[in-house]
């Protein structure tokens, strides 16, 4: 792999994730291309969310979680002892499964992340820009001082996206961002992702195969190993190929709906 | 052995059987509902009985008798109320001992006293009105004949309806005569002690709760985890330790060992170093603080635990440090719950008597406490003391003091609830 031309943002090498003594993900190698959408699909418990959370070290928040192997971000191993996870998370933002705006005003929701990261510029401008990028500005511009919790589920999730892009990260991780939303709100988020990918690298975990097929450029299929119940990367490639001519029989079984 | 599907369907009650079965289950539910309602009613009755008991003691008829009738003290036909200060001083000197006169002069020279002050002295020392007997509110209303019979045997006596709870009761210091005794010093004592208790216990308790919930729960080292589990268990157990044990602890640690500190001697704040000891407001406040610390910690922990994890993840995910996440998101959302716990703990501290008896609250104090190093008494101590006296009248003023204690408690709670609601609104 060549990191210098900036084509690849992440390069995972021989990744193993443990919760206590249980191995949740084993021997995974994976590269994530810059300014593309990469989707992680697979049945529940296959470790796709766990892998996603290694990209911004959110696994650190679980006391028993442990990681071996390397997660290289532009060639820098994120799990080096001298890497500060707080700094990592500024560069690699995250959107969660359930919309989780802060119980503060819409404005404050967006501004807070910028402020704690030492933003010195024009805050009003940044908030507007971020909300515009998240396709939410027109809906909330008249009620910026109202609680973020007063918005609908889809709007809340877009507010969370605006909040995530306010510190201007390089990568946005999305952990099943639409699983709590209705189809129309889901579609809006998907459109938004296609817009955002012009400026950001996006990695999305989804249970929804159609969603992966619709929005992603690359797809990685994970599956739980039957013997030790550890998650395993089965196949990774251009989305079109994964969905039309998968190389692995297990991938084909999953995407054709024979199981999962 | 396989069971045929048909036979298992037949095992369920049908038609009439089903109807009566459902009815029986509803009846069971109704029975339990009645039991629970009865429990609630019993609790309310107990509470009402308590209130009734207090209120009938605080109001009612009293039979009064003067040692010397004020009419016999008239000078030139002028009633006592219209006499000048000098005339009142003469009356006073004629009726009380020289020694007492000298002591009064020593307390404050008569030339400096106001007319009203001297008039009060005449009423108190010369007329010396005494309560011969007091009746409860119920007796006053329903057994008038009993009172009439008693009054018939007391020709000089005067019958008067009295509220033992009155303004003078609140603003006068203690006295050994029940009619003149007040709870001013006890109210100040209670306020001082509670102030110190909350000022010490709140920051300590919330700090410990934050540590235990946000930091200790996330340590990886198994030995530290075990240590934290032991600490947690012990805090839970401490909340159930009888309060008198805390009194013993306070006596040993604050009154005895830390005496130079708690008596104020280290600050030179004592007027008379020879009589200064550790039985001060500070010792009492610290003892009660330790007593309610487990309560505050446990309640604050629960409030912090109730903050959804998704908020912490959102904060950390944006590149906030752990402390920024706690300060900006966890605490603002936990503060209503933390304050509720604090209110409960404060209520408990206000009513505590046993530990204060052990560490040696003074029961007779006529001077307002003027700082953390003062001797003190508190309302519960005062009530406890008064109920133990043989005279009926002390029981009347004890009942009045209980009303004051309840009102004080409700006022403090209400202000804390208001404070909590304001905070609650601020964080949306």
């Amino acid at each position: 792999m060549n990191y210098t031309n900036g084509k690849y943002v992440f390069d995972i090498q021989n990744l193993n994730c443990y919760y206590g003594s249980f191995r949740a993900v084993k021997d995974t190698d994976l590269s994530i291309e810059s300014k593309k959408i990469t989707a992680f699909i697979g049945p529940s418990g296959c470790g796709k969310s766990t892998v996603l959370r290694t990209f911004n070290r959110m696994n650190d928040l679980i006391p028993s979680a442990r990681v071996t192997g390397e997660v290289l971000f532009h060639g820098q191993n994120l799990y080096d002892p001298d890497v500060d996870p707080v700094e990592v998370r500024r560069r690699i933002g995250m959107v969660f499964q359930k919309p989780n705006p802060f119980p503060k005003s819409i404005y404050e929701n967006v501004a807070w992340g910028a402020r704690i990261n030492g933003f010195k510029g024009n805050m009003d401008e940044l908030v507007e820009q971020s909300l515009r990028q998240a396709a939410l500005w027109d809906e909330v511009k008249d009620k910026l001082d109202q609680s973020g919790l007063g918005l609908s589920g889809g709007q809340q999730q877009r507010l969370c996206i605006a909040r995530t892009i306010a510190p201007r990260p390089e990568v946005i991780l999305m952990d099943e961002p639409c699983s709590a939303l209705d189809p129309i709100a889901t579609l809006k988020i998907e459109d938004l992702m296609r817009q955002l990918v012009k400026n950001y690298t996006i990695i999305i975990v989804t249970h929804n195969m159609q969603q992966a097929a619709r929005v992603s450029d690359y797809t990685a299929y994970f599956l739980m190993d039957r013997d030790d119940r550890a998650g395993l990367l089965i196949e990774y490639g251009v989305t079109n190929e994964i969905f039309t001519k998968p190389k692995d029989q297990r991938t084909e079984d999953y995407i054709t709906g024979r199981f999962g | 052995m396989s069971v045929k599907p048909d036979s298992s369907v037949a095992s369920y009650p049908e038609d009439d059987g089903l109807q009566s079965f459902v009815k029986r289950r509803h009846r069971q539910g109704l029975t339990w509902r009645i039991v629970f309602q009865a429990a609630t009613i019993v609790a309310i009755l107990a509470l009402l009985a308590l209130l009734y008991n207090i209120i009938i003691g605080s109001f009612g008829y009293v039979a009064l008798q003067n040692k010397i009738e004020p009419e016999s003290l008239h000078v030139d036909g002028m009633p006592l109320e219209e006499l000048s200060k000098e005339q009142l001083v003469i009356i006073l000197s004629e009726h009380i001992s020289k020694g007492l006169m000298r002591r009064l002069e020593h307390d404050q020279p008569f030339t400096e006293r106001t007319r009203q002050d001297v008039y009060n002295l005449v009423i108190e020392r010369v007329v010396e009105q005494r309560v011969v007997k007091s009746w409860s509110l119920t007796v006053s209303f329903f057994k008038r004949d009993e009172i009439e019979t008693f009054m018939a045997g007391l020709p000089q006596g005067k019958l008067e309806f009295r509220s033992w709870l009155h303004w003078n009761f609140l603003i006068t210091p203690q006295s050994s005569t029940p009619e003149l005794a007040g709870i001013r010093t006890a109210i100040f004592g209670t306020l001082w002690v509670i102030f110190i208790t909350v000022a010490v216990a709140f920051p300590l308790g919330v700090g410990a709760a934050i540590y235990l919930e946000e930091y200790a729960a996330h340590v990886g080292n198994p030995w530290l985890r075990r240590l934290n589990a032991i600490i947690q268990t012990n805090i839970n157990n401490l909340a159930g330790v009888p309060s008198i044990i805390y009194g013993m602890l306070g006596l040993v640690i604050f009154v005895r060992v830390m005496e130079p500190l708690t008596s104020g001697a280290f600050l030179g704040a004592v007027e008379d170093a020879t009589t200064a000891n550790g039985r001060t407001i500070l010792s009492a406040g610290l003892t009660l603080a330790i007593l309610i610390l487990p309560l505050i910690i446990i309640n604050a922990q629960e409030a912090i635990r109730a903050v959804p994890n998704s908020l912490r993840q959102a904060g950390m995910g944006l590149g906030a440090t752990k402390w920024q996440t706690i300060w900006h998101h966890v605490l603002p959302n936990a503060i209503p719950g933390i304050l509720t716990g604090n209110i409960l703990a404060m209520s408990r501290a206000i009513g505590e008597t046993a530990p204060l008896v052990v560490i040696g609250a003074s029961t007779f104090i006529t001077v307002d406490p003027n700082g953390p190093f003062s001797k003190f008494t508190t309302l519960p101590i005062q009530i406890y003391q008064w109920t133990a006296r043989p005279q009926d009248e002390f029981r009347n003023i004890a009942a009045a003091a209980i009303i004051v204690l309840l009102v004080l408690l409700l006022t403090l709670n209400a202000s804390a609830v208001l404070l909590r609601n304001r905070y609650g609104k601020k964080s949306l």
Side-chain angles (χ1 to χ4, degrees):
Chain A
M1 297 288 170
N2 185 356
Y3 306 109
T4 47
N5 69 0
K7 191 182 177 196
Y8 292 103
V9 176
F10 286 111
D11 191 40
I12 288 180
Q13 290 175 352
N14 197 23
L15 180 75
N16 284 275
C17 300
Y18 301 85
Y19 294 115
S21 57
F22 170 67
R23 181 155 72 161
V25 175
K26 68 174 175 185
D27 308 333
T28 299
D29 296 274
L30 187 74
S31 297
I32 305 286
E33 203 174 308
S34 174
K35 306 267 165 70
K36 296 282 189 233
I37 299 177
T38 305
F40 289 1
I41 60 170
S44 296
C46 68
K48 53 194 188 306
S49 283
T50 304
V51 173
L52 186 79
R53 282 158 177 267
T54 60
F55 289 128
N56 67 344
R57 293 193 54 175
M58 283 303 266
N59 280 346
D60 292 19
L61 303 188
I62 301 163
S64 63
R66 197 158 50 81
V67 168
T68 64
E70 290 189 323
V71 180
L72 300 172
F73 177 58
H74 296 302
Q76 163 74 55
N77 184 8
L78 295 181
Y79 280 88
D80 258 0
D82 57 345
V83 170
D84 188 336
V86 169
E87 197 188 321
V88 172
R89 295 184 196 124
R90 214 230 93 181
R91 310 221 168 269
I92 303 162
M94 189 162 200
V95 176
F96 297 87
Q97 182 167 0
K98 231 182 101 214
N100 56 351
F102 300 126
K104 296 173 183 289
S105 70
I106 293 170
Y107 183 96
E108 206 42 44
N109 258 285
V110 182
W112 189 76
R115 196 175 301 131
I116 54 148
N117 281 300
F119 179 71
K120 291 277 193 303
N122 186 335
M123 187 61 85
D124 292 352
E125 217 165 79
L126 180 77
V127 169
E128 179 174 343
Q129 248 177 25
S130 304
L131 285 168
R132 274 189 198 282
Q133 282 191 33
L136 190 61
W137 174 252
D138 290 330
E139 292 160 63
V140 300
K141 62 184 174 200
D142 300 324
K143 48 178 181 179
L144 290 176
D145 56 340
Q146 288 176 26
S147 171
L149 295 176
L151 300 174
S152 74
Q155 288 174 323
Q156 285 190 10
Q157 196 61 300
R158 275 179 283 146
L159 178 61
C160 291
I161 292 173
R163 174 178 77 184
T164 306
I165 56 184
R168 298 294 177 250
E170 194 180 332
V171 182
I172 304 171
L173 308 175
M174 296 186 170
D175 191 354
E176 300 181 39
C178 302
S179 64
L181 306 181
D182 66 74
I184 292 172
T186 301
L187 220 58
K188 273 191 189 155
I189 302 266
E190 286 176 13
D191 286 346
L192 176 58
M193 286 166 68
R194 294 303 331 171
Q195 290 300 314
L196 289 172
V197 76
K198 291 170 187 159
N199 299 308
Y200 304 93
T201 304
I202 296 176
I203 309 174
I204 176 174
V205 163
T206 177
H207 268 123
N208 182 335
M209 275 180 288
Q210 283 75 31
Q211 183 170 57
R214 279 195 300 261
V215 298
S216 70
D217 303 295
Y218 295 95
T219 299
Y221 172 57
F222 289 83
L223 184 63
M224 193 197 291
D225 193 312
R226 233 173 271 156
D227 301 327
D228 57 3
R229 306 181 60 79
L232 193 61
L233 178 64
I234 301 293
E235 195 170 348
Y236 177 42
V238 177
T239 299
N240 238 339
E241 286 177 19
I242 294 270
F243 279 91
T244 50
K245 36 183 194 294
K247 295 190 190 75
D248 197 296
Q249 183 60 40
R250 291 168 291 183
T251 315
E252 188 170 347
D253 286 349
Y254 185 69
I255 58 170
T256 53
R258 231 166 282 168
F259 100 99
Chain B
M1 275 235 310
S2 67
V3 181
K4 284 181 194 164
D6 285 348
S7 71
S8 55
V9 166
S11 308
Y12 285 106
E14 289 293 346
D15 303 326
D16 286 356
L18 177 62
Q19 257 181 23
S20 65
F21 179 57
V22 170
K23 263 192 196 133
R24 200 165 76 231
R25 284 189 293 165
H26 279 306
R27 258 202 315 279
Q28 276 171 353
L30 188 68
T31 317
W32 280 112
R33 194 191 137 162
I34 291 169
V35 169
F36 297 144
Q37 261 175 352
T40 314
I41 289 168
V42 168
I44 289 173
L45 284 181
L47 211 62
L48 287 178
L50 177 82
L51 279 178
Y52 170 78
N53 226 333
I54 295 166
I55 287 172
I56 61 163
S58 308
F59 307 94
Y61 278 110
V62 287
L64 298 170
Q65 196 171 30
N66 295 330
K67 196 168 144 201
I68 296 174
E69 289 302 323
E71 286 77 24
S72 66
L73 294 174
H74 288 180
V75 179
D76 307 331
M78 277 223 292
L80 219 47
E81 292 83 23
E82 291 169 22
L83 294 180
S84 68
K85 182 177 138 190
E86 287 68 31
Q87 285 169 310
L88 287 169
V89 173
I90 293 167
I91 293 175
L92 199 61
S93 62
E94 278 168 0
H95 287 85
I96 64 175
S97 72
K98 289 216 167 59
L100 184 56
M101 201 63 193
R102 265 203 302 279
R103 214 182 78 208
L104 291 172
E105 177 77 24
H106 175 76
D107 286 349
Q108 192 183 9
F110 280 101
T111 46
E112 289 174 19
R113 288 174 187 259
T114 60
R115 190 200 157 271
Q116 186 60 39
D117 193 18
V118 180
Y119 176 76
N120 288 347
L121 277 175
V122 172
I123 298 294
E124 185 183 327
R125 301 284 180 182
V126 182
V127 176
E128 233 181 298
Q129 193 178 57
R130 283 273 178 265
V131 173
V132 185
K133 191 171 168 64
S134 69
W135 291 276
S136 73
L137 193 60
T138 359
V139 176
S140 305
F141 276 149
F142 300 113
K143 293 193 178 156
R144 280 302 292 269
D145 46 341
E146 192 181 296
I147 299 174
E148 307 279 338
T149 329
F150 182 86
M151 291 311 288
L154 202 68
Q156 295 292 316
K158 216 165 58 180
L159 191 64
E160 190 185 287
F161 188 83
R162 174 170 288 193
S163 157
W164 292 91
L165 180 63
H166 50 86
W167 183 243
N168 275 335
F169 180 66
L170 297 180
I171 59 161
T172 43
Q174 283 183 283
S175 161
S176 49
T177 3
E179 298 94 275
L180 302 173
I183 49 170
R184 179 193 169 97
T185 45
I187 291 178
F188 279 119
T190 291
L191 290 177
W192 265 106
V193 170
I194 284 305
F195 172 74
I196 287 179
T197 302
V198 172
V200 171
F202 184 70
L204 277 183
V206 176
I210 293 172
Y211 173 74
L212 286 171
E213 277 307 304
E214 296 292 329
Y215 295 96
H218 296 278
V219 293
N221 185 327
W223 287 104
L224 272 180
R225 289 182 77 83
R226 201 157 302 163
L227 181 70
N228 285 327
I230 292 172
I231 292 174
Q232 182 71 63
T233 314
N234 276 308
I235 289 173
N236 294 344
N237 286 337
L238 279 179
V241 169
S243 57
I244 196 150
I245 308 288
Y246 284 99
M248 316 278 268
L249 182 88
L251 178 68
V252 173
I253 293 182
F254 299 127
V255 178
R256 300 262 163 80
V257 176
M258 292 170 64
E259 183 171 337
L261 219 72
T262 50
S263 66
F266 79 110
L267 279 179
V270 233
E271 286 158 22
D272 186 359
T274 50
T275 59
N277 59 30
R279 300 171 191 280
T280 55
I281 284 180
L282 186 61
S283 295
L286 292 175
T287 306
L288 291 185
I290 292 198
L291 169 74
I292 63 169
L293 202 51
L295 287 178
I296 292 186
I297 294 176
I298 290 169
N299 280 306
Q301 271 187 294
E302 250 154 45
I304 291 170
R305 213 175 299 144
V307 175
N309 230 349
S310 62
L311 279 185
R312 294 185 184 87
Q313 294 202 342
M316 300 289 283
L318 279 170
T321 60
K322 189 168 192 124
W323 171 242
Q324 284 174 318
T325 308
I326 293 173
W327 180 249
H328 290 279
H329 299 300
V330 177
L331 285 184
N333 283 287
I335 210 82
I338 291 175
L339 287 180
T340 309
N342 197 51
I343 293 166
L344 291 174
M346 192 175 76
S347 311
R348 162 125 194 241
I350 289 176
E352 274 304 339
T353 323
L356 298 185
V357 171
V358 176
I359 67 163
S362 317
T363 45
F364 193 80
I365 291 262
T366 51
V367 195
D368 289 346
N370 57 3
F373 305 120
S374 299
K375 306 266 167 299
F376 70 99
T377 184
T378 64
L379 278 171
I381 294 277
Q382 204 56 68
I383 293 162
Y384 167 71
Q385 180 65 20
W386 280 338
T387 46
R389 298 281 190 98
Q391 298 98 316
D392 273 346
E393 294 75 47
F394 277 113
R395 237 153 288 151
N396 291 126
I397 57 174
I402 290 172
I403 293 183
V404 175
L405 178 63
L406 287 179
V407 169
L408 186 72
L409 201 70
L410 291 178
T411 315
L412 286 177
N413 280 6
S415 48
V417 168
L418 282 180
L419 197 75
R420 184 191 74 191
N421 288 349
R422 177 163 300 175
Y423 264 104
K425 247 177 232 143
K426 214 166 141 195
S427 64
L428 292 170

